[in-house]
Amino acid sequence: LHRIKASGLKLRFCTNETQATRENFVKKLQGMGFDISVAEVTAPAPAACRILKERSLRPHLLVHNDLVPEFAEIDKANPNCVVIGDAAENFTYANLNEAFRVLIGMEKPVLISLGRGRYYKETDGLKLDVGAYMKALEYACDVQAEVVGKPAEKFFESALAEMGVPAQQAIMIGDDIVNDVGGAQRCGMRAVQVRTGKYRPCDENHPHVKPDAYVNNLAEAVDVILQQL
Amino acid sequence: LHRIKASGLKLRFCTNETQATRENFVKKLQGMGFDISVAEVTAPAPAACRILKERSLRPHLLVHNDLVPEFAEIDKANPNCVVIGDAAENFTYANLNEAFRVLIGMEKPVLISLGRGRYYKETDGLKLDVGAYMKALEYACDVQAEVVGKPAEKFFESALAEMGVPAQQAIMIGDDIVNDVGGAQRCGMRAVQVRTGKYRPCDENHPHVKPDAYVNNLAEAVDVILQQL
Protein backbone atom coordinates (compact mmCIF):
# COMPACT_ATOMS: atom_id res chain seq x y z
CA LEU A 1 0.00 0.00 0.00
CA HIS A 2 2.88 2.40 0.77
CA ARG A 3 4.34 1.82 -2.69
CA ILE A 4 1.00 2.45 -4.42
CA LYS A 5 0.40 5.63 -2.46
CA ALA A 6 3.98 6.81 -3.07
CA SER A 7 3.51 6.28 -6.82
CA GLY A 8 0.70 8.85 -6.87
CA LEU A 9 -1.95 6.31 -7.90
CA LYS A 10 -5.37 6.82 -6.40
CA LEU A 11 -6.53 4.08 -4.05
CA ARG A 12 -9.82 2.94 -2.62
CA PHE A 13 -10.67 0.04 -0.31
CA CYS A 14 -13.92 -1.67 -1.31
CA THR A 15 -15.30 -3.96 1.38
CA ASN A 16 -18.53 -5.82 1.96
CA GLU A 17 -17.92 -5.68 5.72
CA THR A 18 -21.22 -5.12 7.53
CA GLN A 19 -20.38 -6.38 11.00
CA ALA A 20 -18.55 -3.22 12.02
CA THR A 21 -18.45 0.50 11.35
CA ARG A 22 -15.78 1.77 8.97
CA GLU A 23 -14.00 3.18 12.03
CA ASN A 24 -13.64 -0.21 13.65
CA PHE A 25 -12.86 -1.93 10.36
CA VAL A 26 -10.04 0.54 9.72
CA LYS A 27 -8.70 0.25 13.28
CA LYS A 28 -8.46 -3.51 12.87
CA LEU A 29 -6.55 -3.19 9.59
CA GLN A 30 -4.29 -0.49 11.01
CA GLY A 31 -3.53 -2.85 13.87
CA MET A 32 -2.40 -5.38 11.27
CA GLY A 33 -0.03 -2.78 9.82
CA PHE A 34 -2.09 -1.53 6.85
CA ASP A 35 -1.78 2.13 5.80
CA ILE A 36 -5.53 2.88 5.60
CA SER A 37 -7.92 5.60 6.74
CA VAL A 38 -11.71 5.80 7.04
CA ALA A 39 -11.96 8.24 4.14
CA GLU A 40 -10.45 5.65 1.81
CA VAL A 41 -13.09 3.00 2.49
CA THR A 42 -16.15 2.25 0.34
CA ALA A 43 -18.54 0.07 2.36
CA PRO A 44 -22.18 -1.02 2.02
CA ALA A 45 -23.65 0.80 5.03
CA PRO A 46 -22.69 4.36 3.96
CA ALA A 47 -23.76 3.49 0.41
CA ALA A 48 -27.13 2.40 1.79
CA CYS A 49 -27.39 5.62 3.80
CA ARG A 50 -27.00 7.65 0.60
CA ILE A 51 -29.85 5.66 -1.01
CA LEU A 52 -32.04 6.10 2.09
CA LYS A 53 -31.51 9.87 2.06
CA GLU A 54 -32.02 10.23 -1.70
CA ARG A 55 -35.33 8.38 -1.59
CA SER A 56 -36.56 9.60 1.84
CA LEU A 57 -36.60 6.05 3.15
CA ARG A 58 -36.81 5.36 6.88
CA PRO A 59 -35.28 1.95 7.55
CA HIS A 60 -36.14 -0.81 9.94
CA LEU A 61 -32.63 -2.18 10.60
CA LEU A 62 -31.85 -5.90 10.76
CA VAL A 63 -28.09 -5.52 11.12
CA HIS A 64 -25.23 -6.31 13.46
CA ASN A 65 -25.24 -4.21 16.65
CA ASP A 66 -21.77 -2.92 15.78
CA LEU A 67 -23.02 -1.50 12.47
CA VAL A 68 -25.87 0.55 13.94
CA PRO A 69 -23.72 3.71 14.45
CA GLU A 70 -23.33 4.00 10.65
CA PHE A 71 -27.07 4.80 10.55
CA ALA A 72 -26.94 7.37 13.38
CA GLU A 73 -28.06 10.26 11.19
CA ILE A 74 -30.89 8.38 9.49
CA ASP A 75 -34.51 8.84 10.57
CA LYS A 76 -35.75 5.42 11.60
CA ALA A 77 -39.19 6.34 12.97
CA ASN A 78 -42.24 4.78 11.31
CA PRO A 79 -40.15 2.69 8.88
CA ASN A 80 -40.99 2.38 5.18
CA CYS A 81 -38.26 -0.08 4.21
CA VAL A 82 -36.02 -2.79 5.68
CA VAL A 83 -32.22 -2.75 5.57
CA ILE A 84 -30.65 -6.15 6.14
CA GLY A 85 -26.95 -6.76 6.78
CA ASP A 86 -25.00 -9.65 8.20
CA ALA A 87 -26.78 -9.41 11.54
CA ALA A 88 -25.18 -12.64 12.88
CA GLU A 89 -26.55 -13.26 16.40
CA ASN A 90 -29.28 -10.71 15.65
CA PHE A 91 -30.74 -13.14 13.09
CA THR A 92 -33.22 -14.44 15.66
CA TYR A 93 -36.64 -15.90 14.87
CA ALA A 94 -38.27 -12.86 16.52
CA ASN A 95 -36.13 -10.32 14.62
CA LEU A 96 -36.74 -12.04 11.28
CA ASN A 97 -40.49 -12.08 11.88
CA GLU A 98 -40.38 -8.41 12.85
CA ALA A 99 -38.52 -7.41 9.67
CA PHE A 100 -40.94 -9.54 7.66
CA ARG A 101 -43.97 -7.82 9.21
CA VAL A 102 -42.59 -4.38 8.30
CA LEU A 103 -42.18 -5.50 4.68
CA ILE A 104 -45.48 -7.37 4.27
CA GLY A 105 -47.31 -4.37 5.76
CA MET A 106 -46.12 -2.17 2.88
CA GLU A 107 -48.04 -1.82 -0.34
CA LYS A 108 -44.78 -2.22 -2.29
CA PRO A 109 -42.13 -3.68 0.03
CA VAL A 110 -38.63 -2.15 -0.19
CA LEU A 111 -35.81 -4.43 0.96
CA ILE A 112 -32.23 -3.17 0.83
CA SER A 113 -29.55 -5.81 1.39
CA LEU A 114 -25.98 -5.01 2.35
CA GLY A 115 -24.47 -7.74 0.18
CA ARG A 116 -25.65 -11.06 -1.16
CA GLY A 117 -23.00 -13.42 0.24
CA ARG A 118 -24.06 -17.03 0.75
CA TYR A 119 -21.80 -17.97 3.64
CA TYR A 120 -18.42 -17.34 5.20
CA LYS A 121 -16.00 -19.03 7.52
CA GLU A 122 -15.21 -18.05 11.08
CA THR A 123 -12.93 -19.72 13.59
CA ASP A 124 -15.89 -21.70 14.96
CA GLY A 125 -17.14 -22.83 11.55
CA LEU A 126 -19.17 -21.82 8.49
CA LYS A 127 -21.95 -19.27 8.96
CA LEU A 128 -24.91 -18.31 6.77
CA ASP A 129 -24.30 -14.85 5.29
CA VAL A 130 -26.76 -12.01 4.66
CA GLY A 131 -27.72 -13.35 1.21
CA ALA A 132 -29.45 -16.39 2.72
CA TYR A 133 -31.65 -14.27 4.99
CA MET A 134 -32.26 -11.84 2.13
CA LYS A 135 -33.61 -14.77 0.08
CA ALA A 136 -35.90 -15.80 2.95
CA LEU A 137 -37.47 -12.33 3.10
CA GLU A 138 -37.60 -12.01 -0.69
CA TYR A 139 -39.57 -15.26 -0.93
CA ALA A 140 -41.91 -14.52 1.96
CA CYS A 141 -42.76 -11.04 0.62
CA ASP A 142 -42.53 -11.84 -3.11
CA VAL A 143 -40.10 -8.96 -3.55
CA GLN A 144 -36.61 -8.52 -5.00
CA ALA A 145 -34.02 -6.96 -2.72
CA GLU A 146 -31.85 -4.06 -3.87
CA VAL A 147 -28.31 -5.21 -3.17
CA VAL A 148 -25.76 -2.66 -2.02
CA GLY A 149 -22.09 -3.73 -1.94
CA LYS A 150 -19.95 -5.87 -4.22
CA PRO A 151 -20.72 -7.12 -6.90
CA ALA A 152 -23.40 -4.42 -7.51
CA GLU A 153 -22.36 -2.04 -10.28
CA LYS A 154 -23.52 1.00 -8.35
CA PHE A 155 -21.15 0.12 -5.55
CA PHE A 156 -18.08 0.06 -7.82
CA GLU A 157 -19.32 3.19 -9.59
CA SER A 158 -19.46 5.10 -6.33
CA ALA A 159 -15.91 4.01 -5.46
CA LEU A 160 -14.78 5.24 -8.88
CA ALA A 161 -16.67 8.51 -8.42
CA GLU A 162 -15.06 9.05 -5.02
CA MET A 163 -11.63 8.71 -6.67
CA GLY A 164 -12.66 10.68 -9.73
CA VAL A 165 -11.28 7.96 -12.01
CA PRO A 166 -13.00 6.41 -15.06
CA ALA A 167 -13.53 2.65 -14.96
CA GLN A 168 -11.15 2.09 -17.90
CA GLN A 169 -8.27 3.52 -15.85
CA ALA A 170 -8.99 1.55 -12.68
CA ILE A 171 -7.84 -1.88 -11.57
CA MET A 172 -9.59 -3.98 -8.95
CA ILE A 173 -7.48 -6.30 -6.83
CA GLY A 174 -9.44 -8.94 -4.93
CA ASP A 175 -9.60 -12.54 -3.80
CA ASP A 176 -13.28 -13.17 -4.63
CA ILE A 177 -13.80 -14.31 -8.22
CA VAL A 178 -17.47 -13.27 -8.41
CA ASN A 179 -17.84 -10.31 -6.05
CA ASP A 180 -14.47 -8.64 -6.68
CA VAL A 181 -13.32 -9.70 -10.15
CA GLY A 182 -16.66 -10.28 -11.87
CA GLY A 183 -18.31 -7.20 -10.35
CA ALA A 184 -15.47 -4.86 -11.28
CA GLN A 185 -15.21 -6.19 -14.83
CA ARG A 186 -18.93 -5.67 -15.39
CA CYS A 187 -18.29 -1.99 -14.60
CA GLY A 188 -15.61 -1.76 -17.26
CA MET A 189 -12.65 -2.07 -14.89
CA ARG A 190 -9.83 -4.54 -15.21
CA ALA A 191 -9.50 -6.97 -12.32
CA VAL A 192 -6.68 -9.02 -10.83
CA GLN A 193 -7.33 -12.03 -8.61
CA VAL A 194 -4.93 -12.64 -5.74
CA ARG A 195 -4.28 -16.26 -4.85
CA THR A 196 -4.79 -15.63 -1.12
CA GLY A 197 -7.77 -15.50 1.26
CA LYS A 198 -10.96 -16.75 -0.36
CA TYR A 199 -9.14 -17.80 -3.54
CA ARG A 200 -9.54 -21.45 -4.48
CA PRO A 201 -7.73 -23.17 -7.39
CA CYS A 202 -11.11 -24.08 -8.96
CA ASP A 203 -11.77 -20.33 -9.37
CA GLU A 204 -9.41 -20.50 -12.37
CA ASN A 205 -12.01 -22.64 -14.15
CA HIS A 206 -14.93 -20.34 -13.33
CA PRO A 207 -17.61 -20.70 -16.02
CA HIS A 208 -18.30 -16.96 -16.39
CA VAL A 209 -15.52 -14.88 -14.85
CA LYS A 210 -11.94 -14.67 -16.13
CA PRO A 211 -9.58 -12.24 -14.33
CA ASP A 212 -7.29 -10.04 -16.42
CA ALA A 213 -4.39 -11.44 -14.40
CA TYR A 214 -3.53 -13.60 -11.41
CA VAL A 215 -1.00 -12.72 -8.72
CA ASN A 216 0.19 -14.71 -5.73
CA ASN A 217 -0.27 -11.86 -3.24
CA LEU A 218 -0.91 -8.14 -2.92
CA ALA A 219 2.79 -7.23 -3.18
CA GLU A 220 3.01 -9.00 -6.55
CA ALA A 221 -0.10 -7.13 -7.73
CA VAL A 222 1.62 -3.85 -6.87
CA ASP A 223 4.77 -4.97 -8.74
CA VAL A 224 2.75 -5.75 -11.87
CA ILE A 225 0.80 -2.50 -11.74
CA LEU A 226 3.82 -0.26 -11.12
CA GLN A 227 5.81 -1.98 -13.90
CA GLN A 228 3.13 -1.08 -16.42
CA LEU A 229 2.90 2.61 -15.53
CA LEU B 1 -68.01 -35.38 8.06
CA HIS B 2 -70.61 -37.71 9.55
CA ARG B 3 -72.73 -37.39 6.43
CA ILE B 4 -69.79 -38.13 4.11
CA LYS B 5 -68.78 -41.16 6.12
CA ALA B 6 -72.39 -42.39 6.29
CA SER B 7 -72.67 -42.12 2.50
CA GLY B 8 -69.89 -44.70 2.08
CA LEU B 9 -67.54 -42.23 0.36
CA LYS B 10 -63.87 -42.64 1.21
CA LEU B 11 -62.32 -39.74 3.08
CA ARG B 12 -58.81 -38.50 3.78
CA PHE B 13 -57.58 -35.42 5.65
CA CYS B 14 -54.59 -33.79 3.91
CA THR B 15 -52.74 -31.33 6.11
CA ASN B 16 -49.47 -29.43 5.93
CA GLU B 17 -49.32 -29.30 9.73
CA THR B 18 -45.71 -29.72 10.88
CA GLN B 19 -45.86 -28.23 14.35
CA ALA B 20 -47.44 -31.30 15.94
CA THR B 21 -47.62 -35.07 15.54
CA ARG B 22 -50.70 -36.50 13.83
CA GLU B 23 -51.82 -37.73 17.27
CA ASN B 24 -51.91 -34.21 18.70
CA PHE B 25 -53.34 -32.72 15.52
CA VAL B 26 -56.21 -35.24 15.63
CA LYS B 27 -56.81 -34.69 19.36
CA LYS B 28 -57.17 -30.98 18.73
CA LEU B 29 -59.72 -31.52 15.93
CA GLN B 30 -61.61 -34.13 17.95
CA GLY B 31 -61.83 -31.56 20.75
CA MET B 32 -63.47 -29.22 18.24
CA GLY B 33 -66.05 -31.94 17.47
CA PHE B 34 -64.60 -33.38 14.26
CA ASP B 35 -65.06 -37.10 13.52
CA ILE B 36 -61.41 -37.84 12.64
CA SER B 37 -58.82 -40.51 13.47
CA VAL B 38 -55.03 -40.65 13.03
CA ALA B 39 -55.32 -43.31 10.33
CA GLU B 40 -57.31 -40.88 8.15
CA VAL B 41 -54.61 -38.18 8.11
CA THR B 42 -52.03 -37.59 5.36
CA ALA B 43 -49.32 -35.28 6.71
CA PRO B 44 -45.84 -34.21 5.57
CA ALA B 45 -43.77 -35.81 8.36
CA PRO B 46 -44.88 -39.42 7.77
CA ALA B 47 -44.56 -38.82 4.01
CA ALA B 48 -40.99 -37.65 4.61
CA CYS B 49 -40.31 -40.72 6.76
CA ARG B 50 -41.30 -42.96 3.86
CA ILE B 51 -38.84 -41.12 1.58
CA LEU B 52 -36.08 -41.36 4.20
CA LYS B 53 -36.58 -45.12 4.55
CA GLU B 54 -36.82 -45.74 0.80
CA ARG B 55 -33.57 -43.92 0.11
CA SER B 56 -31.68 -44.88 3.29
CA LEU B 57 -31.40 -41.24 4.31
CA ARG B 58 -30.47 -40.29 7.87
CA PRO B 59 -31.86 -36.83 8.59
CA HIS B 60 -30.56 -33.91 10.56
CA LEU B 61 -33.88 -32.48 11.81
CA LEU B 62 -34.65 -28.77 11.86
CA VAL B 63 -38.26 -29.09 13.00
CA HIS B 64 -40.60 -28.13 15.82
CA ASN B 65 -39.95 -30.01 19.08
CA ASP B 66 -43.53 -31.33 19.00
CA LEU B 67 -42.94 -32.97 15.61
CA VAL B 68 -39.82 -34.94 16.63
CA PRO B 69 -41.81 -38.04 17.77
CA GLU B 70 -42.93 -38.60 14.14
CA PHE B 71 -39.28 -39.42 13.37
CA ALA B 72 -38.82 -41.77 16.34
CA GLU B 73 -38.13 -44.83 14.19
CA ILE B 74 -35.73 -43.09 11.81
CA ASP B 75 -31.96 -43.51 12.18
CA LYS B 76 -30.56 -40.01 12.71
CA ALA B 77 -26.90 -40.87 13.43
CA ASN B 78 -24.26 -39.43 11.08
CA PRO B 79 -26.82 -37.51 8.98
CA ASN B 80 -26.72 -37.46 5.17
CA CYS B 81 -29.62 -35.07 4.59
CA VAL B 82 -31.55 -32.25 6.29
CA VAL B 83 -35.29 -32.27 6.95
CA ILE B 84 -36.75 -28.82 7.58
CA GLY B 85 -40.25 -28.14 8.90
CA ASP B 86 -41.90 -25.13 10.47
CA ALA B 87 -39.47 -25.16 13.39
CA ALA B 88 -40.82 -21.83 14.80
CA GLU B 89 -38.76 -20.98 17.91
CA ASN B 90 -36.22 -23.60 16.83
CA PHE B 91 -35.31 -21.35 13.86
CA THR B 92 -32.39 -19.90 15.78
CA TYR B 93 -29.20 -18.54 14.22
CA ALA B 94 -27.26 -21.46 15.73
CA ASN B 95 -29.71 -24.11 14.46
CA LEU B 96 -29.80 -22.63 10.96
CA ASN B 97 -26.00 -22.58 10.80
CA GLU B 98 -25.90 -26.16 12.02
CA ALA B 99 -28.35 -27.38 9.36
CA PHE B 100 -26.40 -25.41 6.76
CA ARG B 101 -23.11 -27.05 7.78
CA VAL B 102 -24.61 -30.52 7.43
CA LEU B 103 -25.74 -29.65 3.89
CA ILE B 104 -22.60 -27.87 2.71
CA GLY B 105 -20.49 -30.73 4.02
CA MET B 106 -22.20 -33.14 1.60
CA GLU B 107 -20.95 -33.72 -1.95
CA LYS B 108 -24.55 -33.44 -3.21
CA PRO B 109 -26.70 -31.79 -0.52
CA VAL B 110 -30.16 -33.30 0.07
CA LEU B 111 -32.71 -30.94 1.60
CA ILE B 112 -36.24 -32.19 2.28
CA SER B 113 -38.77 -29.49 3.18
CA LEU B 114 -42.10 -30.21 4.89
CA GLY B 115 -44.01 -27.63 2.88
CA ARG B 116 -43.13 -24.40 1.08
CA GLY B 117 -45.46 -21.94 2.83
CA ARG B 118 -44.35 -18.31 2.85
CA TYR B 119 -46.00 -17.16 6.07
CA TYR B 120 -48.99 -17.67 8.31
CA LYS B 121 -50.92 -15.79 10.96
CA GLU B 122 -50.97 -16.52 14.67
CA THR B 123 -52.72 -14.66 17.44
CA ASP B 124 -49.57 -12.59 18.06
CA GLY B 125 -49.04 -11.71 14.38
CA LEU B 126 -47.64 -12.95 11.07
CA LYS B 127 -44.80 -15.46 11.14
CA LEU B 128 -42.34 -16.61 8.48
CA ASP B 129 -43.19 -20.16 7.41
CA VAL B 130 -40.89 -23.04 6.50
CA GLY B 131 -40.65 -21.96 2.84
CA ALA B 132 -38.67 -18.84 3.74
CA TYR B 133 -36.06 -20.80 5.68
CA MET B 134 -36.02 -23.43 2.94
CA LYS B 135 -35.11 -20.67 0.46
CA ALA B 136 -32.30 -19.46 2.72
CA LEU B 137 -30.72 -22.92 2.81
CA GLU B 138 -31.35 -23.49 -0.91
CA TYR B 139 -29.50 -20.29 -1.77
CA ALA B 140 -26.62 -20.85 0.64
CA CYS B 141 -26.02 -24.42 -0.60
CA ASP B 142 -26.99 -23.89 -4.25
CA VAL B 143 -29.45 -26.77 -4.00
CA GLN B 144 -33.15 -27.28 -4.68
CA ALA B 145 -35.22 -28.66 -1.82
CA GLU B 146 -37.55 -31.62 -2.31
CA VAL B 147 -40.89 -30.41 -0.99
CA VAL B 148 -43.14 -32.88 0.83
CA GLY B 149 -46.72 -31.80 1.53
CA LYS B 150 -49.30 -29.83 -0.42
CA PRO B 151 -49.09 -28.78 -3.28
CA ALA B 152 -46.57 -31.52 -4.20
CA GLU B 153 -48.11 -34.08 -6.57
CA LYS B 154 -46.55 -36.99 -4.69
CA PHE B 155 -48.34 -35.90 -1.54
CA PHE B 156 -51.79 -35.99 -3.14
CA GLU B 157 -50.90 -39.24 -4.90
CA SER B 158 -50.09 -40.93 -1.61
CA ALA B 159 -53.42 -39.76 -0.14
CA LEU B 160 -55.18 -41.23 -3.19
CA ALA B 161 -53.20 -44.48 -2.87
CA GLU B 162 -54.11 -44.75 0.81
CA MET B 163 -57.79 -44.52 -0.15
CA GLY B 164 -57.40 -46.72 -3.22
CA VAL B 165 -59.20 -44.14 -5.35
CA PRO B 166 -58.12 -42.83 -8.78
CA ALA B 167 -57.64 -39.05 -9.06
CA GLN B 168 -60.54 -38.72 -11.50
CA GLN B 169 -62.95 -40.00 -8.82
CA ALA B 170 -61.64 -37.81 -6.00
CA ILE B 171 -62.58 -34.30 -4.93
CA MET B 172 -60.37 -32.03 -2.85
CA ILE B 173 -62.07 -29.55 -0.52
CA GLY B 174 -59.80 -26.81 0.77
CA ASP B 175 -59.43 -23.13 1.60
CA ASP B 176 -56.00 -22.56 0.01
CA ILE B 177 -56.22 -21.68 -3.67
CA VAL B 178 -52.65 -22.75 -4.52
CA ASN B 179 -51.79 -25.53 -2.07
CA ASP B 180 -55.20 -27.22 -1.91
CA VAL B 181 -57.02 -26.40 -5.14
CA GLY B 182 -54.10 -25.97 -7.54
CA GLY B 183 -52.14 -28.92 -6.18
CA ALA B 184 -55.10 -31.33 -6.35
CA GLN B 185 -56.06 -30.23 -9.86
CA ARG B 186 -52.51 -30.80 -11.10
CA CYS B 187 -52.95 -34.42 -9.97
CA GLY B 188 -56.10 -34.83 -12.02
CA MET B 189 -58.54 -34.34 -9.13
CA ARG B 190 -61.40 -31.91 -9.06
CA ALA B 191 -61.17 -29.27 -6.34
CA VAL B 192 -63.66 -27.11 -4.45
CA GLN B 193 -62.59 -23.96 -2.64
CA VAL B 194 -64.41 -23.16 0.63
CA ARG B 195 -64.91 -19.49 1.36
CA THR B 196 -63.66 -19.85 4.96
CA GLY B 197 -60.28 -19.85 6.70
CA LYS B 198 -57.48 -18.72 4.41
CA TYR B 199 -59.89 -17.86 1.58
CA ARG B 200 -59.73 -14.29 0.34
CA PRO B 201 -62.08 -12.75 -2.26
CA CYS B 202 -59.09 -11.98 -4.52
CA ASP B 203 -58.49 -15.75 -4.81
CA GLU B 204 -61.40 -15.77 -7.28
CA ASN B 205 -59.23 -13.76 -9.67
CA HIS B 206 -56.19 -16.01 -9.28
CA PRO B 207 -54.10 -15.85 -12.49
CA HIS B 208 -53.45 -19.61 -12.73
CA VAL B 209 -55.86 -21.57 -10.53
CA LYS B 210 -59.61 -21.89 -11.06
CA PRO B 211 -61.56 -24.17 -8.68
CA ASP B 212 -64.17 -26.51 -10.12
CA ALA B 213 -66.63 -24.97 -7.66
CA TYR B 214 -66.91 -22.58 -4.71
CA VAL B 215 -68.84 -23.28 -1.51
CA ASN B 216 -69.43 -21.10 1.50
CA ASN B 217 -68.48 -23.76 4.03
CA LEU B 218 -67.73 -27.45 4.48
CA ALA B 219 -71.40 -28.37 5.02
CA GLU B 220 -72.29 -26.84 1.66
CA ALA B 221 -69.46 -28.79 0.01
CA VAL B 222 -70.94 -32.00 1.42
CA ASP B 223 -74.41 -31.02 0.13
CA VAL B 224 -73.07 -30.47 -3.38
CA ILE B 225 -71.09 -33.69 -3.43
CA LEU B 226 -73.90 -35.89 -2.07
CA GLN B 227 -76.43 -34.36 -4.50
CA GLN B 228 -74.28 -35.43 -7.43
CA LEU B 229 -73.83 -39.06 -6.38
Side-chain angles (χ1 to χ4, degrees), chain B residues 6-212:
Chain B
S7 75
L9 288 175
K10 287 180 181 167
L11 179 65
R12 199 82 197 163
F13 299 89
C14 294
T15 176
N16 270 3
E17 174 66 54
T18 65
Q19 283 209 4
T21 57
R22 280 165 297 170
E23 281 71 17
N24 287 329
F25 171 72
V26 162
K27 263 183 216 158
K28 191 175 140 193
L29 286 177
Q30 286 173 340
M32 294 161 77
F34 286 93
D35 177 5
I36 179 174
S37 70
V38 171
E40 295 170 321
V41 175
T42 300
C49 286
R50 272 196 303 277
I51 292 173
L52 295 169
K53 282 177 192 163
E54 278 166 23
R55 289 160 54 187
S56 300
L57 292 170
R58 300 177 304 276
H60 170 90
L61 297 178
L62 179 53
V63 302
H64 198 284
N65 288 348
D66 294 346
L67 193 70
V68 174
E70 291 276 19
F71 297 87
E73 288 173 20
I74 301 288
D75 179 11
K76 293 178 278 290
N78 188 21
N80 58 4
C81 76
V82 167
V83 171
I84 182 173
D86 177 18
E89 304 289 342
N90 277 349
F91 281 133
T92 63
Y93 180 60
N95 286 350
L96 283 161
N97 282 332
E98 200 185 341
F100 161 67
R101 282 179 210 134
V102 170
L103 287 171
I104 204 75
M106 296 168 59
E107 200 184 334
K108 203 161 172 290
V110 176
L111 174 60
I112 295 174
S113 187
L114 307 178
R116 56 183 305 127
R118 288 159 57 196
Y119 59 91
Y120 57 88
K121 196 173 184 170
E122 288 199 335
T123 46
D124 57 341
L126 294 172
K127 306 275 174 80
L128 289 169
D129 199 355
V130 58
Y133 293 96
M134 173 190 87
K135 286 287 172 186
L137 292 174
E138 282 188 341
Y139 176 71
C141 302
D142 196 17
V143 67
Q144 182 131 31
E146 301 172 38
V147 179
V148 177
K150 299 180 285 186
E153 284 186 40
K154 274 190 190 169
F155 192 69
F156 287 103
E157 284 165 5
S158 61
L160 291 167
E162 285 152 1
M163 291 191 291
V165 168
Q168 295 72 22
Q169 294 178 24
I171 294 180
M172 175 77 190
I173 306 169
D175 60 358
D176 187 314
I177 184 73
V178 170
N179 288 317
D180 295 336
V181 176
Q185 288 178 331
R186 263 215 316 280
C187 281
M189 298 167 69
R190 279 163 294 171
V192 173
Q193 189 175 19
V194 281
R195 293 195 180 100
T196 57
K198 270 189 194 173
Y199 166 83
R200 293 186 303 174
C202 67
D203 289 347
E204 306 205 9
N205 304 316
H206 194 280
H208 308 304
V209 184
K210 185 96 196 139
D212 294 278

Side-chain angles (χ1 to χ4, degrees), chain A residues 4-189:
Chain A
I4 288 187
K5 289 184 176 183
S7 74
L9 289 176
K10 288 181 183 167
L11 180 67
R12 199 82 196 159
F13 299 89
C14 294
T15 176
N16 270 5
E17 174 66 55
T18 65
Q19 285 210 1
T21 57
R22 281 165 297 171
E23 282 71 16
N24 287 330
F25 170 72
V26 161
K27 262 182 218 161
K28 190 175 140 193
L29 286 177
Q30 286 172 339
M32 293 161 76
F34 286 93
D35 177 4
I36 178 173
S37 71
V38 170
E40 295 170 321
V41 175
T42 299
C49 286
R50 274 197 302 278
I51 292 173
L52 296 169
K53 283 178 193 162
E54 276 167 23
R55 289 161 53 188
S56 301
L57 292 170
R58 300 176 304 277
H60 170 89
L61 298 178
L62 178 52
V63 302
H64 198 283
N65 288 347
D66 294 346
L67 193 70
V68 174
E70 290 277 18
F71 297 88
E73 288 174 22
I74 302 288
D75 179 10
K76 292 178 279 288
N78 189 18
N80 58 5
C81 75
V82 167
V83 171
I84 183 173
D86 177 18
E89 303 290 341
N90 278 348
F91 281 132
T92 64
Y93 180 60
N95 286 350
L96 282 161
N97 281 331
E98 201 185 342
F100 161 67
R101 283 180 209 131
V102 171
L103 287 171
I104 204 73
M106 297 169 59
E107 200 183 335
K108 207 165 169 286
V110 176
L111 174 61
I112 295 174
S113 187
L114 307 179
R116 57 181 303 127
R118 289 160 57 197
Y119 59 91
Y120 56 88
K121 195 173 185 171
E122 287 200 332
T123 46
D124 58 342
L126 293 172
K127 306 275 174 81
L128 289 169
D129 200 355
V130 60
Y133 293 95
M134 172 191 88
K135 286 287 171 186
L137 293 174
E138 281 188 341
Y139 177 70
C141 303
D142 198 17
V143 67
Q144 183 132 32
E146 302 172 36
V147 179
V148 177
K150 299 180 283 186
E153 284 186 39
K154 273 190 189 169
F155 192 69
F156 287 104
E157 284 165 6
S158 61
L160 291 167
E162 285 153 1
M163 292 190 292
V165 167
Q168 297 72 23
Q169 292 176 25
I171 294 179
M172 175 75 191
I173 305 169
D175 61 358
D176 187 316
I177 184 74
V178 170
N179 288 316
D180 295 336
V181 176
Q185 287 179 332
R186 263 214 315 280
C187 281
M189 298 167 67

